[in-house]
Amino acid sequence: VDLVPLDMTPANKQFLEEHPVKMDVPLPQGTVPGALTPPLFYVLIKGGVYHTLVFYDVAGESCVEIDELIKYGGFIRNADGIIMILDPHQFNLINTSDDNVIHPKAVIQAMFNAFLGGKGQGQLLGIPMALALSKSDTLEGEELISSNSNIFRDLVYDDRHPGFDTQQYRNLMGEVRRFLNGMPEGRLTINAVNQFFANTGLFAFSALNCGVKVEERTVDGETKKVAMPVAHPNPRRIEEPLLWMLSEFGIIPKVGQPQR
């Protein structure tokens, strides 16, 4: 399978040029509620067949507030799959701040409502839903996770059998499920996604896999707090939710031990 990037919008090109993810370089700001980031476009070519991938990034708050949901509901309703990022600090056993957070259960239910509308209850959505626990490196040392957990291991690729490795995934999925079930908010999240979606994957990844320092910097006369990686970023398992989704679409094969 060859990955061929299409021409990106000028805004995307400028964003990538201005925000390289490097040590001691300020990280880009997270997804802002109420704003729509220009989507990214890619084409996967397999056996002469072209598959167009379009990525929209919408803040969770925009999926819960009714006015925002009306604005972004069209993108959600027409999605072929959803990757929902779960920040560990959304869960009370880990959250050490007083910030108000939007709990994943509310986002999951709002997305379900956006899809079904008035179609009635008792229906499960069949599109793939990937629950991806971010910042997995910050979970090392937590009592809920063993230090030798697969959550802290990167993917191992077998060039002889390219595709989505179901064995490595199942090992990880079980541990992510146990972690989430160990907290009230996690159990609510699992119950909600099982109530609304028929095909759910559970993942954990780290986009940086290194520490972050926060400093104050003055930009255009305004002082802001910026976060910067303290080492060269070395992402871990960040591609796994997308590979799973591509295998669910039938674009790439599933490899590994057959499921019992």
Side-chain angles (χ1 to χ4, degrees):
V1 179
D2 298 317
L3 178 63
V4 181
L6 294 176
D7 290 336
M8 292 185 289
T9 64
N12 282 327
K13 290 181 179 179
Q14 181 179 355
F15 181 85
L16 293 176
E17 292 172 356
E18 294 179 352
H19 300 282
V21 182
K22 296 180 179 179
M23 182 174 63
D24 293 330
V25 175
L27 293 168
Q29 185 180 7
T31 307
V32 179
L36 177 63
T37 303
L40 292 173
F41 297 85
Y42 293 90
V43 169
L44 279 170
I45 305 175
K46 180 183 179 183
V49 179
Y50 287 68
H51 304 274
T52 303
L53 307 181
V54 184
F55 294 88
Y56 285 94
D57 186 10
V58 180
E61 294 87 343
S62 297
C63 297
V64 176
E65 297 294 336
I66 213 59
D67 292 340
E68 296 297 315
L69 186 58
I70 292 173
K71 185 188 301 182
Y72 299 113
F75 303 118
I76 300 173
R77 189 160 42 248
N78 292 296
D80 293 310
I82 297 174
I83 299 177
M84 182 176 174
I85 308 299
L86 302 180
D87 188 324
H89 296 91
Q90 290 174 302
F91 304 108
N92 286 345
L93 287 184
I94 298 175
N95 186 9
T96 57
S97 71
D98 295 327
D99 297 336
N100 293 324
V101 295
I102 301 296
H103 288 295
K105 177 187 175 182
V107 178
I108 292 169
Q109 184 160 6
M111 287 191 294
F112 174 81
N113 293 338
F115 268 100
L116 280 187
K119 292 184 179 179
Q121 300 297 319
Q123 302 182 50
L124 291 177
L125 295 176
I127 67 167
M129 159 65 92
L131 292 182
L133 196 64
S134 67
K135 305 174 184 176
S136 63
D137 58 300
T138 65
L139 298 176
E140 296 194 50
E142 292 288 340
E143 294 183 0
L144 294 173
I145 303 179
S146 169
S147 59
N148 63 354
S149 168
N150 288 286
I151 289 176
F152 308 128
R153 298 177 184 174
D154 208 348
L155 288 173
V156 178
Y157 289 97
D158 185 351
D159 293 336
R160 298 169 301 173
H161 306 287
F164 177 70
D165 192 317
T166 57
Q167 182 65 42
Q168 292 188 73
Y169 164 64
R170 284 196 297 273
N171 292 339
L172 174 79
M173 177 186 65
E175 297 185 13
V176 174
R177 186 183 299 276
R178 282 195 294 273
F179 170 73
L180 292 174
N181 280 329
M183 298 171 291
E185 291 84 358
R187 288 193 293 273
L188 288 173
T189 301
I190 292 292
N191 291 340
V193 79
N194 288 339
Q195 180 182 357
F196 299 130
F197 289 84
N199 186 13
T200 303
L202 300 177
F203 304 88
F205 72 93
S206 176
L208 299 177
N209 202 16
C210 67
V212 175
K213 60 183 178 182
V214 179
E215 295 181 359
E216 287 190 350
R217 291 195 175 184
T218 302
V219 180
D220 296 330
E222 184 179 357
T223 301
K224 298 181 179 179
K225 289 185 177 180
V226 297
M228 296 173 286
V230 299
H232 182 67
N234 182 27
R236 181 170 62 200
R237 303 190 86 120
I238 195 171
E239 72 276 31
E240 195 169 14
L242 177 59
L243 294 179
W244 171 74
M245 201 154 288
L246 293 178
S247 72
E248 293 298 309
F249 295 154
I251 297 176
I252 65 174
K254 296 182 179 181
V255 298
Q257 303 258 342
Q259 189 165 2
R260 296 178 181 176

